[in-house]
């Protein structure tokens, strides 16, 4: 589904990514972990085309997507969420989701200004589908609320729902549980679990170890821009290199061993 | 007459106007560094400086140098007031809001100038009645010398100020990293206020220097401001040495193109340079502004 | 959506009702200018308020429309209608070409670059003497004809301009409430997120730049065939600033707000004519004050009043029901 070949990216003198390579199989959930500043978000930015790597290649469904623009990559079926929920705060919750259906729509400039019947029909169907998504993510009551007025947890759900609207085959989630309370985290975990049955491949960055360990089929660990381990959750928990990377962060080690 | 006969003269003209652009560009840089705002009212400071000097000198009958110093000081004060009244209340507004506020400020200042001084253009006498210096067939007027020397002095003082004084160092700290500066106990608000005063002062100084050569009027600041702005961008906005270089380059290019190509298109060249800079080096210039994802 | 079309209908009623009350050609000419500037401002609102891209150079495109129309009809003796169409296409083309490098810039830099484009365009109008007549301008531009009607008096021209405006307003309402409108608004709020949803950010920005230049061009043609004379001075930096001010004072993310802003700023100098020297002072002060106290413009104030009243009414209803 996704293959990374020796990705490198530096900011000034800082090597944010250093020869990172791994593969993701269709239908799997891959956890991406590592201490703060390890380069996880940077890797997502490279995969989704927001940043271009200094060297190395990204293959998505056997196609080389290195250097393509973000929207072109999205069109191929790859969507992501952001570490700080990047919702459109001045639009309503419903409109956020409808924007998520952008790739599903066909109407162009002339049908937008002239509004022929088929354009109206398309808009109606997008609206209906957005409403369905709204109840799926549990935000039905807030359809007409301004997205900026949602609680942080709901913003995260909204962003996730919006990403799903584009029917991605590969979904990148950047710390989806950060800032959520216990209940919200559980709901989220359950929801992501359900996505598995829809055959959506997922890479998830997460600091909540119990969540990643439960969800993921496999885990990749980054530290200071380098991949230091890859394997099943059980193996990762015992991997000496991983423990060393988290050295000094006692809580983490505890949560890893749990 | 061969093309090189005039070259020296064009260069002198170019350096003289370029020096003024450099001062204006420095003003842009100073404000940009402490606020990331581009102050569209910068040219009006130039106009105010010269207008105030013009009206102080014959009206109050004070000596010219007193009028010049007073004019620069009053304009600096106007810069401070402008920051307090118009900029501070909206410091965190959107880019569009800030652009409009400074443009509104520039129109307001022009409006005030029209009310006070009317629409005729005015002039100052040259600072000294120095005989023009002639060499290699070119003439260097006394006032041109004043402009060059004045600019040089301003640049040296500014450098000294940034390197040696506490306020100067605090300003640099703000430019480098506002949050860190605040943590070190520097009052960023004061620095912003101060940078408006300083850049108004530089603008006014540019204005009084050039007025004996070019005349001044209520709308004389607009073009000077825009050119100064091109210079600031050319030098890489926020960089003081860059602003000076940019000013000189624009001044010289303009004077050469007016001399050899077409005087009508002379204004266009400054803007074409500006556009080329923005197009060819957007990443370089935009480095600070890239959205962090 | 319903509210927008309601306002549209209201506008239609006002436009066709107005002539019952107005006799003086002076008022007609003010209304004609409101319509002409209103067309520019509608386009600029789509660009600034919806796509979130600043332009300080749209007077240049307005000028391109006017000069293309003038040159095609005066020098090449074309009929004004096809001239208007060719001017439209040519201006949009120019905007697309200039827009490609320009729209990669953001924030202040975009403002500066568009400002530069506008200034350079105006210098071209001034300097291409043979084509444009230079600073003193060119006259003898023919009126529009439609079979036997010649649009030469203010009353007829009033209808022509406002019909153009009403149509463009309607198309803009459609655009705003469409898949593209949504894409534009998402771009203005977060370009990166918009891109990650498959929205082609640079294309939509370019499209809006071209579209708004097209609106400006149509307005420019209407301007040229109304005055039958063009010179470079109305197409400079100040004009661009005024257009932007109209957008923002009206309320940049509302089409009707933009029209309100246009009406206000176009008629203001007429009211202030008595205080001629104060015009700039007042204009500058208005810009600053509106940005300080009502950053969402007049439309923002109106919707705030509307909301407050609605809430009051609701509260009063609640105990009864
Ligand atoms: N646009 C950028 N410009 C400069 N440096 C950057 C940029 N983006 C990231 N970095 C740096 O690259 C390194 C990796 O950052 P990244 O955001 O990828 O880490 P992360 O693993 O996502 O960390 P966290 O868990 O805190 O989110 C950090 O040192 C960061 O400061
Ligand atoms: Mg991160």
């Amino acid at each position: 589904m996704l293959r990374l070949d020796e990705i490198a990216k530096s900011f000034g003198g800082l090597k944010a990514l250093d020869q990172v390579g791994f593969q993701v199989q269709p239908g799997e959930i891959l956890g991406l972990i590592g201490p703060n500043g390890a380069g996880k978000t940077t890797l997502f930015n490279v995969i989704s085309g927001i940043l271009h790597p200094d060297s190395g290649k990204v293959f998505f469904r056997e196609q080389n997507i290195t250097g393509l623009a973000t929207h072109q990559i999205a069109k191929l079926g790859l969507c992501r969420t952001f570490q700080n929920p990047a919702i459109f705060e001045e639009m309503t919750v419903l409109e956020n989701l409808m924007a998520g259906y952008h790739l599903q729509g066909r109407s162009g400039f002339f049908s937008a200004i002239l509004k022929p019947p088929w354009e109206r029909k398309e808009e109606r169907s997008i609206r209906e589908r957005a409403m369905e998504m709204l109840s799926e993510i549990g935000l039905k009551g807030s359809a007409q609320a301004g997205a900026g007025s949602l609680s942080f947890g709901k913003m995260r759900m909204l962003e996730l729902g919006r990403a799903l609207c584009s029917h991605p085959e590969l979904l990148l989630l950047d710390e989806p549980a950060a800032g959520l309370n216990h209940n919200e985290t559980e709901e989220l975990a359950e929801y992501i679990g359900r996505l598995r049955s829809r055959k959506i491949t997922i890479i998830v960055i997460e600091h909540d170890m119990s969540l990643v360990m439960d969800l993921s089929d496999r885990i990749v660990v980054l530290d200071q821009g380098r991949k230091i381990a890859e394997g099943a959750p059980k193996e990762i928990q015992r991997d000496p290199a991983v423990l060393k990377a988290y050295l000094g962060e006692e809580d983490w080690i505890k949560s890893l061993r749990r | 007459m061969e093309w090189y006969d005039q070259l020296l003269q064009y260069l002198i003209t170019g350096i003289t106007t370029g020096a003024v652009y450099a001062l204006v560009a420095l003003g842009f840089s100073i404000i940009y560094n402490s606020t990331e705002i581009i102050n569209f009212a910068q040219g009006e400071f130039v106009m105010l400086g010269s207008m105030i000097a013009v009206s102080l000198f014959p009206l109050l009958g004070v000596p010219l140098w007193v009028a010049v110093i007073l004019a620069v000081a009053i304009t600096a004060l106007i810069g401070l007031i402008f920051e307090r009244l118009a900029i501070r209340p909206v410091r965190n507004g959107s880019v569009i809001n800030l652009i409009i506020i400074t443009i509104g400020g520039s129109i307001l200042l022009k409006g005030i100038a029209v009310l006070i001084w009317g629409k005729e253009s005015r002039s100052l006498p040259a600072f000294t009645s120095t005989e023009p210096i002639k060499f290699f067939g070119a003439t260097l007027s006394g006032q041109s010398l004043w402009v060059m020397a004045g600019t040089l002095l301003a640049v040296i003082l500014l450098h000294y100020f940034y390197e040696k004084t506490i306020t100067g160092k605090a300003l640099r700290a703000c430019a480098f990293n506002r949050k860190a500066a605040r943590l070190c106990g520097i009052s960023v608000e004061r620095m912003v206020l101060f940078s408006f005063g300083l850049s108004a002062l530089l603008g006014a100084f540019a204005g009084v220097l050039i007025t004996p050569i070019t005349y001044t009027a209520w709308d004389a600041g607009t073009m000077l401001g825009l050119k100064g702005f091109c210079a600031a961008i050319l030098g890489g906005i926020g960089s003081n040495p860059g602003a000076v270089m940019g000013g000189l380059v624009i001044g010289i290019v303009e004077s050469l193109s007016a001399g050899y190509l077409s005087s009508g298109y002379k204004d266009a060249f400054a803007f074409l340079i500006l556009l080329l800079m923005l197009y060819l080096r957007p990443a370089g210039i935009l480095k600070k502004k890239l959205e962090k994802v | 959506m319903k509210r927008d079309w309601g306002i549209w209908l209201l506008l239609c009623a006002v436009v066709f009702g107005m002539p019952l009350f107005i006799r003086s050609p002076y008022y007609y000419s003010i209304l004609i200018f409101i319509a002409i500037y209103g067309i520019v401002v509608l386009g600029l609102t789509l660009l600034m308020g919806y796509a979130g891209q600043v332009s300080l150079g749209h007077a240049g495109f307005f000028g391109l429309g006017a000069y293309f129309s003038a040159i095609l009809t005066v020098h090449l003796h074309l009929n004004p209608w096809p001239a208007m169409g060719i001017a439209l296409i040519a201006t949009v083309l120019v905007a697309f070409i200039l827009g490609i490098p320009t729209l990669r810039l953001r924030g202040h830099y975009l403002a500066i670059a568009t400002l530069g484009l506008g200034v350079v365009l105006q210098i071209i109008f001034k300097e291409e003497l043979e084509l444009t007549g230079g600073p003193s301008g060119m006259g003898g531009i023919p009126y529009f004809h439609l079979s036997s009607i010649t649009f030469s008096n203010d009353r007829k021209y009033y209808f022509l301009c406002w019909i153009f405006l009403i149509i463009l307003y309607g198309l803009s309402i459609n655009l705003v409430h469409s898949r593209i409108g949504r894409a534009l608004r998402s771009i203005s709020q977060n370009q990166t997120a918009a891109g990650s949803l498959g929205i082609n950010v640079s294309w939509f920005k370019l499209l809006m730049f071209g579209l708004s230049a097209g609106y400006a061009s149509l307005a420019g043609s209407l301007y040229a065939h109304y005055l039958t004379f063009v010179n470079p001075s109305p197409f400079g930096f100040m004009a661009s600033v005024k257009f932007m001010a109209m957008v923002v004072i009206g309320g940049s993310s509302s089409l009707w707000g933009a029209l309100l802003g246009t009406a206000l700023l176009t008629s203001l100098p007429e009211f202030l004519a008595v205080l001629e020297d104060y015009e700039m002072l007042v204009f500058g002060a208005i810009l600053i004050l509106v940005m300080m106290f009502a950053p969402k413009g007049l439309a923002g104030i109106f919707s705030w009043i509307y909301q407050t009243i609605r809430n009051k009414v609701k509260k009063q209803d609640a105990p009864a029901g």
Side-chain angles (χ1 to χ4, degrees), chain B residues 19-156:
Chain B
V20 174
Y21 296 160
L23 288 177
V24 182
L26 278 173
F28 276 116
S29 271
I30 291 167
I31 291 182
Y32 184 84
N33 271 338
S34 61
T35 59
E36 293 197 2
I37 291 176
I38 283 174
N39 174 27
F40 283 85
Q42 191 66 28
E44 273 54 55
F45 293 145
V46 180
M47 176 273 293
L48 284 177
S50 53
M51 280 302 218
I52 294 172
V54 168
S55 50
L56 284 179
F57 173 62
L59 278 188
L60 299 185
V62 293
L64 184 58
W65 63 272
V66 177
V68 164
I69 291 174
L70 275 178
V72 171
I74 295 173
T75 312
L77 195 67
I78 295 174
L80 297 178
I81 297 172
F82 180 66
E83 197 276 341
R84 266 292 155 93
L85 293 185
I87 305 294
R88 178 151 324 173
V90 289
R91 271 291 285 121
N92 299 315
S94 70
V95 173
I96 294 188
N97 281 16
L98 286 166
I99 289 174
I100 295 185
I101 291 222
T102 59
I103 289 180
S106 104
I107 298 173
L108 185 79
L109 291 175
K110 274 191 269 194
I112 293 175
V114 170
L115 276 188
I116 301 179
W117 293 293
K119 293 197 170 175
E120 337 49 278
S121 54
R122 288 140 193 272
S123 183
L124 276 178
F127 286 11
T128 50
S129 47
T130 320
E131 284 294 311
I133 303 166
K134 287 196 196 292
F135 58 106
F136 302 114
T139 339
L140 177 62
S141 73
Q143 191 60 30
S144 279
L145 270 178
W146 272 106
V147 173
M148 293 176 198
T151 306
L152 195 64
L153 182 72
V155 170
I156 291 172

Side-chain angles (χ1 to χ4, degrees), chain B residues 85 237 265 279 285 291, chain C residues 102 104 106 109 128 248 292:
Chain B
L85 293 185
I237 192 150
Y265 274 110
Y279 292 164
I285 294 169
E291 225 174 285
Chain C
T102 308
R104 291 199 318 223
R106 290 185 189 183
Y109 293 95
E128 290 304 314
V248 182
M292 262 187 218

Side-chain angles (χ1 to χ4, degrees), chain B residues 272-283:
Chain B
L272 287 178
I273 293 178
L274 166 84
L275 289 171
L276 282 179
M277 260 326 272
L278 289 173
Y279 292 164
L280 299 181
R281 286 197 40 208

Side-chain angles (χ1 to χ4, degrees), chain C residues 53-70:
Chain C
Q53 308 301 308
V54 196
S55 170
L56 277 174
H58 261 55
F61 296 122
F62 181 47
L64 273 184
Y67 272 104
F68 277 133
S69 263

Side-chain angles (χ1 to χ4, degrees), chain A residues 50 70-71 74 79 82 86 88-91 95 98-99 102-103 105 107-109 112-115 119 123 162, chain C residues 1 171 174-175 177-180 182-183 185-186 189-190 192-201 204 207 211:
Chain A
I50 292 169
T70 318
H71 71 271
C79 198
F82 294 83
F88 306 127
E89 301 197 353
E90 282 163 38
M91 289 158 71
E95 284 171 330
M98 289 173 75
H102 183 80
L103 284 172
S107 82
F109 174 69
I113 59 171
L114 299 173
K115 279 214 178 283
E119 195 269 358
E123 279 292 286
R162 192 183 63 189
Chain C
M1 177 108 178
L171 296 180
N174 275 344
L175 183 71
H177 297 284
S178 72
R179 170 172 174 264
I180 293 185
R182 259 193 319 272
R185 281 196 293 153
S186 47
Q189 290 174 48
N190 191 326
T192 322
S196 75
L197 295 175
I199 294 167
N200 186 343
V201 174
F204 279 117
L207 181 69
L211 182 72

